[in-house]
Amino acid sequence: MSAAAASAALSEEGSAAGGLPRLLPPPGHGGDLASHLSRHGSVPYRGSARALIPEIRAARLTGRGGAAFPVHRKLETVAAARPGRAVVVGNGAEGEPASHKDQALLHLAPHLVLDGLQLAAEAVGAGRVVLYVRHDVRARTRLDAQLSERYARGLDRIAVELVSAPARFLAGEESALANLVSAGTAVPRFTPPRVFERGVDGRPTLVQNVETLAHLALIARFGPGWFRGLGTPDEPGTMLCTLHRADGSMNVAEAIIGTPLAGLVDSPGASAVLVGGYHGAWVAADQLPWLTLSNASLRPVGAFTGAGVLAALPADRCGLVESARVTRYLALESAGQCGPCLNGLPAIAAAMGELAGLAGRRPDPRVLENLSRWAGLVEGRGACHHPDGTVRFLRSALQVFAAEARLHLQGRCSAASGRPFLPIPAGPATDADWSSP
Ligand SMILES: Cc1cc2nc3c(=O)[nH]c(=O)nc-3n(C[C@H](O)[C@H](O)[C@H](O)COP(=O)(O)O)c2cc1C
Ligand code: SF4
């Protein structure tokens, strides 16, 4: 993605001290070390383990990798380990095909993420620091050079190891990540223990999304009150969003939590908006005027902010066809370790394909009943949340596109265009794709 496409679309004052953007550099500022230091100054180490944790608790920072888990709780747990034993991993795998915000952040403001990694490592007394990023030769070369520059200038107290993530949907799931960094493959494992108890090489491991680390680095500089100055009282701050508009354009924008959704995905003519990504949920376009970018607002309609994906479906496309393509992709991305996921997701994907009219025959009249039953059978039955996320996406599609489903049962479809809208990667080729490239 170009730097221009990743502009801070909602820029108000162009200053980290005031409004937006906080994370992305304002127009005219680069992401290089000299620009970063002139804008933010050096890494504000606290001088002792745990010292930063009360500030993160007061800021009410939650994870930006999808689950919005309170960051201070993980910091406290990992900080209880023997000094030097814990591992900190910055998660930049970004396995979600519709999300580009982590790549954009690492491209435009890498030093904020790297500051956050060092500060998190200090806070938990870690002895090892890893940056886990989606495999991209150019991005890796750039990060290598940036890390060498920081180390040479004495900014980083612990050398950061770069580990490449395979381009798989599950590669960023934290237990898959811990397996891969421990020299295994990026497949999830059963929990407990959670990775903050036993993660990389069996050591307590703090995994934070790279955007979370960038927020942490700003809180360390400007304080919890500053952080809470934007957003809602319960969900303070800003978040990066990947916005896919109905006209096919896409950009990454930093948005204040609580911003009206209709203003963010301003897409006249869209029939529905996918919120949160492929483990997220569809929301009918006529509900948008009442919704904001916050979990409190989205929860009642079965959605959540997730990793900040918002995709407005053009009115000429079929929501069932799009959902069937995504469901098939998610089924193929199953790590194949748990029976209900291994067998259930392909059956669900096939039934969705049939309902969408992709099977070349009129759907079986029992297809909706089967989908609902199979969804119930896979939910909560995996080592990881992949089946649960897939079922959430499926159920929202069946609800939001219910009228379209009735048409399809009669062998009809309202779409004027069959052109795919949501991005689907080419797909796994071999089992080796689960390993680090
Ligand atoms: C199937 C699946 C895929 C995930 N992929 C990612 C990912 O690509 N990047 C990410 O930061 N978190 C991802 N997560 C969430 C991580 O497991 C973990 O909760 C997160 O990295 C913690 O960071 P945070 O608390 O800062 O969000 C995924 C979770 C699941 C269930
Ligand atoms: S639930 Fe599915 S994706 Fe998750 S570990 Fe089991 S088989 Fe793999």
Side-chain angles (χ1 to χ4, degrees), residues 66 96 98 239 241-244 261-262 264-265 272-285 287-288 291-295 297-299 301-313 389 392-393 396 400-401 422:
E96 162 68 58
M239 66 184 291
C241 295
T242 310
L243 307 172
H244 298 259
L261 277 195
L264 268 176
V265 277
V273 174
L274 178 63
V275 181
Y278 293 174
H279 273 182
W282 288 104
V283 170
Q287 291 188 301
L288 284 190
L291 298 175
T292 66
L293 181 73
S294 76
N295 286 322
S297 166
L298 291 167
R299 206 172 288 121
V301 295
F304 63 108
T305 52
V309 169
L310 294 168
L313 183 70
R392 177 169 42 237
F393 172 81
S396 75
V400 169
F401 306 117
L422 294 170

Side-chain angles (χ1 to χ4, degrees), residues 89-181:
V89 186
N91 191 351
E94 201 156 46
E96 162 68 58
S99 179
H100 299 277
K101 57 116 180 159
D102 292 338
Q103 279 167 276
L105 180 65
L106 285 166
H107 184 79
L108 294 170
H111 293 290
L112 216 44
V113 175
L114 297 172
D115 288 355
L117 260 180
Q118 293 295 328
L119 290 164
E122 183 193 48
V124 300
R128 186 177 171 195
V129 177
V130 174
L131 181 57
Y132 181 68
V133 283
R134 203 181 172 128
H135 183 61
D136 173 332
V137 175
R138 274 193 302 172
R140 192 178 167 123
T141 308
R142 211 171 34 240
L143 278 167
D144 264 329
Q146 284 155 346
L147 285 169
S148 305
E149 192 182 3
R150 289 172 67 90
Y151 203 63
R153 298 212 24 191
L155 292 175
D156 287 355
R157 295 193 173 162
I158 305 185
V160 177
E161 295 164 49
L162 273 183
V163 175
S164 291
R168 305 293 299 254
F169 189 79
L170 293 171
E173 193 276 336
E174 60 187 10
S175 67
L177 169 160
N179 274 340
L180 188 119
V181 178

